Amino acid sequence: MAEVQLVILFTSVALVVIGLYSAIFLDNIIKKIIGISFIEEGVNLFIVAIGYKAGGIVPILMPGMDTTWFASNAAYPLPFGLVLTSIVIGASTLAVMLALVMVLYRRYGTLSTKVMLADTSKREEYNE
Amino acid sequence: MNEIIPIMVIVPLMAALLISAFSKFNKVTKIFAFVVALCLPLIPILSNYGLHYFGGYQPMLDNVTGVMYHPAITYSFTFLQQIFIAAIGLLTFLVIFIYLTKYKKVSGPYLFLLFLGTAAVTAMILTDDIFHMFVFFEILALAQVGIVAASSIDYSYEMALKYMILGSIGSPMMLLGIGFLLALTGSVNVSDIAAAVHAGLVNATSPVFLLSLALIFFGWLYASGLPPFHTIKSGIYSKAEPHGAALLQSFTVISMISIVLIMFRIYASLPIFEVLIVFFSILAMILGVSLALTQTDFRRMIGFLAVGELGFIGLGIGLGTNFSITAGLFQALNEIIITALLFIGFGAIVNATNEVDTRKLGGLLAYHPKVSIMLLIGGLAMAGVPPLSGFQSKLMLVQASLSCGYPELSILAIMVSIATFVVFVKTYYTMFLKPKPNDLDLENKEVPKAMIFAMGVLLVIVILLGVFPDVVTSGISNFVGGIL
């Protein structure tokens, strides 16, 4: 495994762990959502790292290139395609989550999940 | 190659986009939505079985390893896909029919979400590509959240956000698992991955392979609403419009079986895989029925019962034999139909009474006899009373547990069925048979005819599947024989 690839993998693990911590333990909904983004980006980075090839070339077959040479030197393109799709999905999810948060913020006037996502019975206690 | 197969996904997807774009033309939107919804169950019934390779890229031979591989996304259409896509198509039609007759001015975005969800689950069950499945799994989650948020029930936004936050943790975990599989095999095609595992090209006991199982399994628990996600799953059912909940539970069941069948093909060689499935299924059965017993909101009660029924599906698949998997998949089909019947039936009661608390209801049998009788039969079918469809699948599951050498599992299945019966009879008595409370106004409140029609159609299927189970089980058994 290339050194660069190892560094990327450690970074992606760090992103996922920090993201999980924020999403599970922090009370502020925006911080939770930032944590969720960290998890998604960590996973995307991991998949990009799978396709990394030390000294590899961009996987686009240009006219005149020898196909055997291209096959042995090009980076693996499948992970990049997957990550591109994953980024789009992540952005859509993020947009929907933020839209829901906007509605709930207008209703409760707070970003605390303890208040806005509490059980119905507990919510009445917080309102008091 | 069969060119018709992708049409099953394209039709609802295009309908969703067109309806969303032209929803200001109310009458045209209504007619268009009705016609497309009517086509949904017909397309799979009229299609031939086969494979579809996107872009026309057929499987190729790798000259180095001598193994066939799939360069493009592949859709596989067999009897199993046919029966489930037809079932989801029929349910979508009934739900859209109820919706169109209920409101004079229809909501384009809501219809968009219903069609989008249908397209997503159809793609999930058709695909042979694990990343493609993941993409539609995410689209499905967005559609589910939208259907819940679009309801007029209190706290639906809160429930939608909760579901979304949990999903945003569960989905990347599944993607990470897919990433590990990609790193190990260099492919996201399920057939290619399974072939690599069975050929010994991947060490099945390596930590990376086991980690991929754990991560995808976690995503599967979220998709299925099995513990620890059972509470949120029943919560979203209770916060959606009743006809929307009927469709949401069918989305859950189909995404559950789509993912578990993919996992089965890849991880079946690991003994821990089947143990995990059986463990979480038993947990779902016990927790589902126990929590249902304590509910006073009948939508929530049906939600928990639906979670318990998911446990039966998992039990059948976890036992791992041809007969047990057939029983599990037959149970999945029954659950889609029966739970939809119950959600629509109880939705009709909400429509007539504006009340969801069973303690405040009573005497409904005299006012709504058709709904009462159809709900009673639906509840009995869920509890596994003969000769209804639920009885046939549960009997098969009990036989499968016994034949696999686990009599304790068959005893548990019977006990959970009895508990389901008790829960349903208790609720039914409270709502329909006990004297009507004085403050409950039931005069001049009719149940929409579309709901009664939908319940009637589902009830006929429940009875037919109960009397002629072989029509379905023999085809499912052939499919299972192919993947084992």
Side-chain angles (χ1 to χ4, degrees), chain B residues 14 52 73 77 79 104 131 159 190 192 236 373 403 433 437 447 457-458:
Chain B
M14 286 306 294
H52 179 83
I73 294 167
F77 183 65
F79 179 79
K104 279 186 179 169
F131 185 77
M159 191 56 79
V190 180
D192 292 352
I236 66 160
I373 290 167
S403 62
L433 301 179
V447 171
V457 171
L458 296 172

Side-chain angles (χ1 to χ4, degrees), chain B residues 290-352:
Chain B
S290 314
L291 291 169
L293 202 56
T294 60
Q295 301 303 314
T296 52
D297 177 342
F298 55 72
R299 293 171 311 184
R300 194 97 191 193
M301 184 270 291
I302 296 293
F304 277 118
L305 283 183
V307 169
E309 295 296 299
L310 290 172
F312 282 93
I313 304 170
L315 180 67
I317 293 168
L319 288 171
T321 62
N322 186 322
F323 187 68
S324 70
I325 298 173
T326 305
L329 293 173
F330 185 36
Q331 168 69 15
L333 182 65
N334 289 337
E335 187 184 344
I336 288 174
I337 307 290
I338 296 168
T339 316
L341 169 62
L342 294 182
F343 270 122
I344 294 171
F346 282 109
I349 299 301
V350 178
N351 203 73

Side-chain angles (χ1 to χ4, degrees), chain A residues 22-98:
Chain A
S22 318
I24 295 169
F25 295 110
L26 298 185
D27 179 45
N28 187 303
I29 189 74
I30 297 292
K31 288 180 184 172
K32 266 189 195 295
I33 292 175
I34 292 171
I36 287 165
S37 288
F38 267 47
I39 300 172
E40 285 170 356
E41 300 316 328
V43 173
N44 288 341
L45 191 60
F46 169 76
I47 296 176
V48 167
I50 294 170
Y52 175 78
K53 185 179 179 122
I57 60 162
V58 178
I60 300 172
L61 183 63
M62 303 298 284
M65 268 187 189
D66 178 44
T67 48
T68 315
W69 179 85
F70 174 79
S72 58
N73 285 284
Y76 189 37
L78 182 60
F80 308 140
L82 302 189
V83 166
L84 195 63
T85 317
S86 175
I87 289 169
V88 174
I89 296 169
S92 318
T93 314
L94 196 65
V96 175
M97 267 196 290
L98 289 173

Side-chain angles (χ1 to χ4, degrees), chain A residues 20 29 36 39-40 43 46-47 50 76 78-79 82 85-86 89 93 96-97 100 104 107-108 116-117 120 123, chain B residues 131 135 138 142 145 149 155 157-158 160-162 164-165 168-169 172-173 175-176 179-180 182-183 186 188:
Chain A
L20 276 174
I29 189 74
I36 287 165
I39 300 172
E40 285 170 356
V43 173
F46 169 76
I47 296 176
I50 294 170
Y76 189 37
L78 182 60
L82 302 189
T85 317
S86 175
I89 296 169
T93 314
V96 175
M97 267 196 290
L100 287 171
L104 292 178
R107 187 175 296 170
Y108 296 107
M116 68 164 68
L117 299 182
T120 317
R123 185 176 290 114
Chain B
F131 185 77
V135 171
E138 286 278 43
L142 286 174
V145 165
Y155 306 122
Y157 279 99
E158 289 85 341
L161 185 60
K162 270 187 202 175
M164 196 128 206
I165 290 171
S168 300
I169 298 171
M173 293 300 117
L175 182 60
L176 196 56
F180 281 130
L182 176 66
V188 284

